[in-house]
Amino acid sequence: MRILLVEDDEALAQGVILALRGQGFVVNHVTQGEQALSSIRSQDCDAVVLDLGLPDIDGLDVLKTTRQKFPRLPVLVLTARDGVDDRIRGLDLGADDYLVKPFALAELFARLRVIERRLGTASHHLIKLKDVELDSSAHQVRLAGEALALSRREYMLLKVLMESAGRIKTREQLEASLYAWGEEVASNALEVHISNLRKKLPKDFIKTLRGVGYSVDPA
């Protein structure tokens, strides 16, 4: 799931970005409301984590505009405004969830997983194909019941491929699922990750992923 983090506190933002990427999310970050609306209009994200105290426009205005233009885009408000009236106003304006600072990262992860399941990008926290089982809540992959050691990118790619089995995914879509804005992507990076997965997974399992638009079969 691609998350747009709208947060003007750089120190907090970098901590959240690092933590979310460690959970397999792709995170892009902006510090201002107008930047957020521009990104949302270009449909660069699957969900928004939105601070309300932004330097240019109030986060509630961002929320209101987002809900008018993109009624199905999930928005999780992450703010220091902890009054009951603040929460009610945020939810009434269309926030899918409201989390008050300071917060536990584990709770943020759990709330985003709920949003992810609602979106349908993860119909269940357990995804199983043949002997491979991916547990998105534990961030683990098991092969025939045994834990499989994967890098963060390998895990993210496998998750996208397993969720997309039987549906078309282009190279560009796969790369967008793995990398955030500004991250340098080597021309053969996707091939390297797929090659590593081929070495770690059974050949008959790889064949079940033929339904995606990008070939993962050995040449």
Side-chain angles (χ1 to χ4, degrees):
M1 186 166 69
R2 297 170 301 161
I3 295 172
L4 176 66
L5 174 64
V6 189
E7 172 61 66
D8 66 326
D9 183 329
E10 285 286 353
L12 174 61
Q14 291 308 312
V16 171
I17 289 169
L18 184 63
L20 289 177
R21 288 178 178 172
Q23 291 292 307
F25 295 105
V26 173
V27 187
N28 291 315
H29 172 227
V30 296
T31 59
Q32 299 188 41
E34 289 294 349
Q35 293 173 330
L37 290 173
S38 177
S39 178
I40 290 167
R41 291 187 191 103
S42 65
Q43 302 183 45
D44 279 341
C45 59
D46 299 311
V48 180
V49 175
L50 175 66
D51 182 26
L52 298 184
L54 301 174
D56 55 346
I57 58 177
D58 192 274
L60 289 176
D61 292 327
V62 175
L63 173 60
K64 184 177 180 180
T65 300
T66 298
R67 194 50 68 231
Q68 290 171 345
K69 302 293 184 181
F70 300 94
R72 294 174 180 263
L73 179 65
V75 179
L76 186 155
V77 169
L78 188 64
T79 181
R81 299 180 190 175
D82 60 354
V84 174
D85 289 344
D86 294 314
R87 299 186 194 202
I88 291 173
R89 188 178 180 200
L91 293 170
D92 282 346
L93 284 175
D96 293 83
D97 206 344
Y98 196 105
L99 186 59
V100 175
K101 302 174 183 175
F103 58 93
L105 284 170
E107 183 176 3
L108 176 61
F109 301 156
R111 293 184 184 220
L112 287 173
R113 286 196 296 268
V114 170
I115 288 175
E116 188 175 33
R117 288 195 293 272
R118 193 182 307 152
L119 281 172
T121 56
S123 58
H124 195 274
H125 70 90
L126 286 177
I127 309 170
K128 188 169 183 179
L129 287 176
K130 290 187 174 293
D131 291 333
V132 179
E133 185 177 79
L134 187 147
D135 186 341
S136 61
S137 63
H139 205 235
Q140 292 180 346
V141 176
R142 289 179 288 272
L143 173 59
E146 298 293 326
L148 190 64
L150 298 178
S151 71
R152 182 171 70 91
R153 301 271 191 219
E154 291 165 5
Y155 169 86
M156 292 167 68
L157 177 59
L158 180 61
K159 183 171 182 286
V160 173
L161 292 174
M162 290 180 68
E163 289 172 348
S164 305
R167 299 197 305 271
I168 298 298
K169 281 285 184 181
T170 66
R171 178 192 183 94
E172 289 74 20
Q173 288 173 323
L174 290 176
E175 288 182 341
S177 299
L178 300 180
Y179 298 96
W181 302 333
E183 285 191 276
E184 187 173 345
V185 185
S187 60
N188 67 335
L190 187 58
E191 284 78 7
V192 170
H193 297 316
I194 288 175
S195 176
N196 290 338
L197 287 178
R198 286 176 185 162
K199 295 173 184 177
K200 297 177 180 182
L201 296 167
K203 289 183 178 180
D204 64 333
F205 173 78
I206 293 295
K207 290 179 180 178
T208 67
L209 301 177
R210 283 179 175 171
V212 303
Y214 189 80
S215 174
V216 295
D217 287 317

